[in-house]
Amino acid sequence: MEEAVVWAAQAFCRRSLAIWRARTFHQVFKHQTISTIEQSSLNHRTLGALKSAEIISVTSKGERLVVGRDYNAVSLDDVHFLDAFDDVTVTCAVEPRVGSSHLPASLFNDWEDGICAGAAKRLLLQPDKDWSDVALAGYYEREFVEAIRKARRWRLEVSPDVTPENPLSRKRSFV
């Protein structure tokens, strides 16, 4: 049961990007690689239960940095800076690790029904159990997906524009 809840929470967070955390650095150096969640104090308080699901934005003094020009995303958690910057904030979506015993409270405060539907779906699809029920699992899958969509819509509505800038986009004129 616990594994099913963690699995549902992880899938929910990864697909909806609903839970964000920001980490601020006074200064980063040229060619420095930083960890957004893995080495953060947040993860020390939760006993390493969280990991980054996606890097949302990287800013310096409130100005958005550009991937490929100012930094590279080495992994879902690591950012490698190509130059030195002051007052850097890295915002990322987080998800629980597999086997985690700690889940963000906001998952249960805001998205409890969706997480429970995902866990129920997973449990009902166990083929070696007598109580396996594919039809009921389908119902819970629809509830789970609808909760993910609702969370994703909410995140897009309340968040500033976080669409990554593409430094390779070119303006073209056709004659």
Side-chain angles (χ1 to χ4, degrees):
M1 178 67 117
E2 289 175 8
E3 288 177 16
V5 170
V6 172
W7 174 87
Q10 189 177 37
F12 181 88
C13 289
R14 187 178 301 136
R15 291 168 57 190
S16 70
L17 303 178
I19 311 298
W20 286 10
R21 297 292 184 259
R23 187 168 181 197
T24 302
F25 301 87
H26 177 66
Q27 182 178 29
V28 295
F29 302 102
K30 185 175 184 174
H31 301 299
Q32 180 180 4
T33 300
I34 57 104
S35 169
T36 56
I37 297 296
E38 200 70 32
Q39 302 298 321
S40 71
S41 61
L42 167 69
N43 225 16
H44 292 292
R45 286 191 310 266
T46 61
L47 304 174
L50 300 174
K51 67 177 191 162
S52 177
E54 184 174 322
I55 295 172
I56 304 297
S57 70
V58 181
T59 62
S60 173
K61 297 180 181 177
E63 295 294 318
R64 195 124 178 227
L65 300 181
V66 178
V67 177
R69 186 187 72 199
D70 300 320
Y71 72 94
N72 287 322
V74 179
S75 69
L76 292 175
D77 190 61
D78 297 322
V79 177
H80 178 80
F81 289 92
L82 302 174
D83 207 350
F85 296 99
D86 295 324
D87 300 322
V88 173
T89 301
V90 180
T91 304
C92 64
V94 297
E95 67 183 51
R97 288 191 169 285
V98 174
S100 175
S101 60
H102 173 84
L103 300 177
S106 56
L107 279 179
F108 291 107
N109 295 337
D110 300 331
W111 311 108
E112 177 183 15
D113 291 340
I115 302 298
C116 291
K121 171 241 172 187
R122 181 140 174 125
L123 291 170
L124 288 167
L125 286 178
Q126 295 181 8
D128 58 338
K129 302 295 182 190
D130 293 334
W131 40 265
S132 181
D133 187 341
V134 176
L136 190 55
Y139 167 78
Y140 283 118
E141 169 70 13
R142 288 186 296 278
E143 293 294 314
F144 184 52
V145 168
E146 183 54 35
I148 290 169
R149 287 180 181 155
K150 184 178 179 183
R152 181 72 174 192
R153 279 191 303 270
W154 170 79
R155 175 49 71 195
L156 291 172
E157 288 172 2
V158 300
S159 301
D161 182 15
V162 293
T163 307
E165 294 180 26
N166 184 357
L168 300 177
S169 64
R170 296 176 183 92
K171 295 189 182 213
R172 298 180 181 170
S173 62
F174 296 95
V175 184

